[in-house]
Amino acid sequence: MNETLVRTAGATPVKDGVVDCDIHPLPARPDDVLAYMPERWQEHHRVYGSHFRAPFRESSPWPRAAPAISRRDAWPPNGNMPGSDLPFMREQHLDLHNIEFGILQVLGFATGSQRNLDYSAAIASALNQWQLDYWCNPEPRLKGSIVIPTEDPEAAVAEIERWAGHPAFAQIFMTPRLTEPMGRRRYWPIYEAASRHNLPIGIHGGGHGAHATTGGGWPSYYIEEHPTAGQSAQALITSLIVEGVLERWTNLRFVVVEAGFAWVPALGWRLDKHWRRLRSEVPHIERLPSEQMHQHFWFTTQPVDEPERPDDMRRTFDWIGWDRILYASDYPHWDFDDPRYAFPFRLSPEERAMLFRDNAVSLFGLA
Amino acid sequence: MSWRDVKPIDCDIHVVVPHTGVLLPYLDDYWRDYVTVRGVRNLDMTSYPPTAPLTSRPDWRPATGHAGTDLALLRRHVFDELGAQIAICNVVWGAQALHHHHLAAALCRAVNAWVAAEWLDREPRLRASIVVPWQNAAHAVEEIERCAPDRRFVQVLLLAMADQPLGREHYWPIYEAAARHGLPIAIHAGSAYRHATTSLGWPSTLLEDYVAQASGFQNQLMSLICEGALSKFPDLKVVLVESGVTWLPAFMWRANKIWRAMRMETPWVDRPPAAIVRDQVRLTLQPFDAPPDAAVVERVIEQIDSDRTILFATDYPHWQFDEDEVIPAGLSADLARRVLVDNALATYPRLESLS
């Protein structure tokens, strides 16, 4: 399906380097992560395994585009999983694309999907120590995301307290499909802690939640399921605004990762229009929803939406606000966006700098 | 041009079943007993609380009872004040959300008979959608066959969220029958509450529920395309009613992109999704989710890139606009003319024969 391109080094989009806001690391061996867990939970993992709110233990309900959801050329020479070999990641991505900083997004292990909350807390702690030891310390260009046991907010806050202020961690990591919509009070302790430590929260699309993938039931095909990340993102923004989270903690910053961006303006228009109509239901929401969206949300570009007329991508960025767009590659996954080719229209030097680097540097405080 | 110069075809107004009692004359003995003895007083829907601001514009509310229940008021508002020449009424009612599919069939049959007798017979400018018990496709086809000879029924009505995605083959007999009779499939906002209205779970407010309807339409359109339903029935038109409209360009870009990448998974989808949408999918005008900025509206209309796609609709008595500001600033005069009349005539073969 996807042919390996002959890649030429040198043509970098930004002289000063690129910030890639979505890189997926995996352990070369699961034991690399499990070794950080107390023996009780290692034993639990050996006997009962991880739990996904999905029918298959190891496979997606919708077969993905490619093995390990990955580019066919992303398997390291040692045969381990894509994204598990730092020297190969350096060669194939970080060096080739002049990546100045990369934000790690740890999928797998599904902390929010576990039956056993104490086990999910043990996994989250282990993943954070593993990120530091295997990735961020050996490769300072890579910044970690604090993985939390989302469904146990008290333990999640403890994990945030453990890592907040550590220069290797750029943000808190969440996925959107939880037990309840993201704005519900169950999750407020997480937002309080994020606000107190002024940490951005990255919300990575997808995952298996407690509910059907669409309001009208379960889709049949990956081709349908893949774009539902966009609808989930619309729901999470709606929930965070309507529950009043953003008016309560006014410094919160959310990064919507891997859900596209072309839908963002229409969601703002819809929220504004119907908020005006139903204000009596939500008198606690005082600020125009689209203003709240612009203030509190950033959007990563991958998988880059492809308007039929390239200039419509520029117009979409104009509507969202250029200061809220962050480049992301999704390395090593199959739908990787190459920073050299992902944007089919001419960017001014200022736009280029914002999109590929400066917005992320300022959001995450990278230096 | 003022849209007032043209008498539009209003493709979405609402007639409301005030309570199950009005349907009793249209039920047979068994079902009349059933709803009486079992106390099925009303099946009005959670998606549209009758007293919520969304459900009725204040100046369209009757002194007593619910909006959409009084023919004299409807005549005044829809035909005299908003100037429609023809209006298609959609009954969004809970027969389509029942689990008991035989009861659903009986009540859908009663609703359609009630609409014909109490509304269409009394007001010749009204048309109606066939309310079908889609829970059971055979029952739904039977109801389509029963109503189709009455050409005042111009389309088949489904909701935006129910048991399973609308592209699934469960629904194909309904699409086959609709296409055979020249009836578009209308998908109206609303949920049968089989699943949480968002993939994140049950929201806390009607506002979130209503905002989520747009996502529901996006998912259903993707399902209809990817399952091959629209390709299987190339003559079928699908009308998305009360969908919000402005999400459509972003939807088409994303659908085209994932189709280019993953079309091996659904080889029966042999054209880019946006081409299928432009050929077979229509959207009613209100609500039109856009800022009051003509430049934005113009751009979105350019992106939709089809002057056949949008159908005039007021969504009466739902409160989507004030006064007569039903046409968003930014629609050109040429496009407005198509939206007001021509597109409806092209979409609904049964309107042309009666106009």
Side-chain angles (χ1 to χ4, degrees):
Chain A
M1 224 170 336
N2 300 316
E3 294 307 315
T4 305
L5 293 170
V6 177
R7 295 187 184 274
T8 50
T12 53
V14 187
K15 187 162 58 65
D16 293 332
V18 169
V19 180
D20 180 352
C21 294
D22 188 18
I23 294 176
H24 295 294
L26 277 178
R29 292 159 298 276
D31 280 348
D32 293 351
V33 172
L34 299 176
Y36 291 110
M37 290 169 35
E39 177 53 33
R40 187 255 181 276
W41 295 117
Q42 293 191 43
E43 176 67 9
H44 180 90
H45 183 90
R46 280 191 293 269
V47 177
Y48 298 99
S50 192
H51 176 263
F52 297 92
R53 285 168 170 168
F56 311 121
R57 290 183 57 252
E58 294 184 346
S59 295
S60 165
W62 300 273
R64 300 306 201 191
I69 334 175
S70 289
R71 284 167 41 172
R72 291 197 301 186
D73 64 351
W75 293 78
N78 61 19
N80 287 338
M81 295 291 280
S84 69
D85 186 272
L86 179 56
F88 187 66
M89 181 189 287
R90 282 193 186 112
E91 177 193 327
Q92 188 173 47
H93 183 47
L94 303 181
D95 296 343
L96 177 65
H97 298 123
N98 196 16
I99 303 299
E100 185 181 351
F101 293 104
I103 309 296
L104 299 177
Q105 312 270 357
V106 184
L107 302 177
F109 294 94
T111 51
S113 193
Q114 300 303 325
R115 291 188 180 110
N116 185 309
L117 292 181
D118 294 329
Y119 170 67
S120 81
I123 302 175
S125 293
L127 284 172
N128 292 328
Q129 191 65 50
W130 168 77
Q131 285 182 81
L132 188 64
D133 293 346
Y134 281 77
W135 300 93
C136 307
N137 278 343
E139 177 46 88
R141 284 180 287 183
L142 295 176
K143 299 295 178 187
S145 297
I146 304 171
V147 179
I148 56 173
T150 320
E151 298 299 346
D152 182 353
E154 200 178 316
V157 169
E159 197 60 26
I160 293 168
E161 298 295 346
R162 184 173 157 218
W163 297 105
H166 194 298
F169 286 89
Q171 64 174 2
I172 297 165
F173 175 85
M174 294 179 79
T175 53
R177 291 171 182 163
L178 307 173
T179 299
E180 294 180 38
M182 294 197 83
R184 301 267 293 187
R185 291 181 193 178
R186 171 190 189 91
Y187 308 110
W188 283 16
I190 296 169
Y191 307 136
E192 191 279 328
S195 168
R196 188 155 31 81
H197 293 292
N198 201 26
L199 272 167
I201 298 175
I203 305 172
H204 191 287
H208 307 303
H211 306 279
T213 314
T214 85
W218 299 95
S220 303
Y221 309 109
Y222 183 54
I223 193 173
E224 287 175 86
E225 192 268 348
H226 188 278
T228 62
Q231 283 87 34
S232 290
Q234 295 173 48
L236 80 88
I237 291 169
T238 302
S239 176
L240 287 166
I241 291 172
V242 174
E243 297 282 0
V245 170
L246 305 175
E247 290 185 307
R248 192 176 180 101
W249 293 287
T250 53
N251 66 335
L252 281 180
R253 294 168 298 162
F254 289 93
V255 188
V256 177
V257 182
E258 204 173 341
F261 54 82
W263 47 266
V264 171
L267 175 66
W269 303 331
R270 184 166 180 83
L271 280 167
D272 286 355
K273 181 180 171 90
H274 301 291
W275 167 72
R276 286 198 177 91
R277 182 68 67 239
L278 294 169
R279 274 188 87 162
S280 61
E281 189 191 25
V282 289
H284 57 288
I285 305 305
E286 293 174 2
R287 292 180 50 220
L288 199 61
S290 63
E291 282 177 24
Q292 297 196 41
M293 265 176 84
H294 181 73
Q295 183 184 337
H296 295 278
F297 289 92
W298 280 252
F299 301 92
T300 66
T301 50
Q302 184 277 338
V304 75
D305 284 297
E306 295 179 30
E308 293 163 294
R309 305 178 306 179
D311 186 53
D312 279 326
M313 191 189 293
R314 165 185 294 287
R315 186 52 56 102
T316 303
F317 288 160
D318 290 344
W319 285 341
I320 296 172
W322 282 85
D323 57 344
R324 290 299 185 265
I325 310 293
L326 307 169
Y327 166 73
S329 78
D330 198 29
Y331 181 86
H333 290 172
W334 71 276
D335 43 355
F336 171 85
D337 274 339
D338 189 312
R340 292 165 296 182
Y341 311 119
F343 303 96
F345 63 98
R346 186 171 292 281
L347 294 153
S348 74
E350 294 75 24
E351 291 165 348
R352 192 167 282 277
M354 290 173 88
L355 191 161
F356 281 109
R357 180 182 182 278
D358 295 353
N359 290 342
V361 165
S362 129
L363 170 68
F364 296 117
L366 302 171
Chain B
M1 181 195 92
S2 160
W3 68 269
R4 290 302 207 169
D5 300 341
V6 178
K7 287 181 86 62
I9 296 173
D10 190 337
C11 296
D12 180 34
I13 69 163
H14 293 286
V15 158
V16 171
V17 177
H19 55 86
T20 313
V22 302
L23 303 178
L24 293 180
Y26 307 98
L27 291 168
D28 66 22
D29 290 348
Y30 174 81
W31 292 114
R32 194 178 309 119
D33 277 355
Y34 187 102
V35 301
T36 308
V37 171
R38 305 286 289 275
V40 186
R41 286 194 57 248
N42 203 343
L43 298 173
D44 64 332
M45 293 191 67
T46 304
S47 298
Y48 292 93
T51 45
L54 169 72
T55 312
S56 173
R57 206 170 104 166
D59 56 329
W60 289 339
R61 233 175 244 284
T64 57
H66 298 320
T69 57
D70 183 314
L71 177 59
L73 280 182
L74 185 148
R75 278 194 183 114
R76 188 164 95 216
H77 297 143
V78 172
F79 295 110
D80 299 347
E81 292 175 12
L82 292 166
Q85 57 168 307
I86 296 282
I88 302 171
C89 52
N90 291 312
V91 180
V92 175
W93 195 63
Q96 294 192 291
L98 284 164
H99 294 284
H100 186 332
H101 56 118
H102 303 304
L103 176 60
L107 286 173
C108 285
R109 196 159 56 234
V111 166
N112 293 324
W114 172 77
V115 164
E118 307 281 336
W119 297 85
L120 305 183
D121 284 355
R122 292 164 65 196
E123 174 47 68
R125 292 169 294 184
L126 281 178
R127 300 291 181 275
S129 301
I130 305 171
V131 178
V132 294
W134 52 338
Q135 299 93 326
N136 176 327
H139 284 335
V141 169
E142 200 177 318
E143 187 57 15
I144 292 170
E145 299 295 349
R146 201 187 64 78
C147 295
D150 183 344
R151 294 186 66 82
R152 299 173 303 178
F153 285 104
V154 298
Q155 65 186 351
V156 172
L157 186 69
L158 307 177
L159 297 178
M161 302 181 194
D163 296 81
Q164 52 179 329
L166 286 173
R168 290 277 183 90
E169 291 189 22
H170 166 88
Y171 299 108
W172 287 19
I174 300 174
Y175 305 150
E176 189 279 326
R180 185 158 36 78
H181 289 292
L183 295 159
I185 295 287
I187 302 172
H188 193 284
S191 173
Y193 274 72
R194 296 298 193 270
H195 308 280
T197 44
T198 84
S199 58
L200 275 56
W202 296 98
S204 308
T205 60
L206 176 65
L207 171 59
E208 291 165 88
D209 237 33
Y210 194 65
V211 168
Q213 296 293 329
S215 286
F217 281 102
Q218 292 156 32
N219 297 138
Q220 296 292 20
L221 192 46
M222 200 62 186
S223 171
L224 286 163
I225 293 166
C226 294
E227 299 277 2
L230 292 176
S231 303
K232 173 79 177 177
F233 304 105
D235 297 329
L236 187 69
K237 294 282 193 298
V238 170
V239 183
L240 308 183
V241 185
E242 209 179 315
S243 74
V245 184
T246 56
W247 51 264
L248 184 65
F251 170 90
M252 292 195 290
W253 304 340
R254 169 55 42 142
N256 274 3
K257 177 176 171 122
I258 192 71
W259 175 78
R260 281 197 296 272
M262 290 301 305
R263 52 189 291 195
M264 57 80 75
E265 192 178 39
T266 55
W268 45 85
V269 184
D270 56 2
R271 296 192 295 156
I276 296 174
V277 169
R278 290 192 176 104
D279 275 356
Q280 291 181 257
V281 178
R282 304 290 176 257
L283 291 83
T284 62
L285 180 66
Q286 286 290 341
F288 192 88
D289 298 335
D293 177 340
V296 169
V297 173
E298 278 171 29
R299 189 74 177 204
V300 171
I301 295 291
E302 276 176 41
Q303 292 170 349
I304 292 173
D305 193 24
S306 162
D307 56 8
R308 297 175 299 165
T309 297
I310 300 176
L311 310 179
F312 178 85
T314 60
D315 195 21
Y316 173 89
H318 295 175
W319 187 7
Q320 306 291 9
F321 57 91
D322 290 309
E323 306 294 329
D324 64 351
E325 294 161 352
V326 56
I327 302 277
L331 259 65
S332 70
D334 279 352
L335 180 60
R337 200 169 5 257
R338 296 201 59 85
V339 166
L340 287 162
V341 178
D342 300 354
N343 288 346
L345 292 178
T347 303
Y348 298 106
R350 292 173 170 232
L351 289 187
E352 202 148 28
S353 66
L354 284 167
S355 62

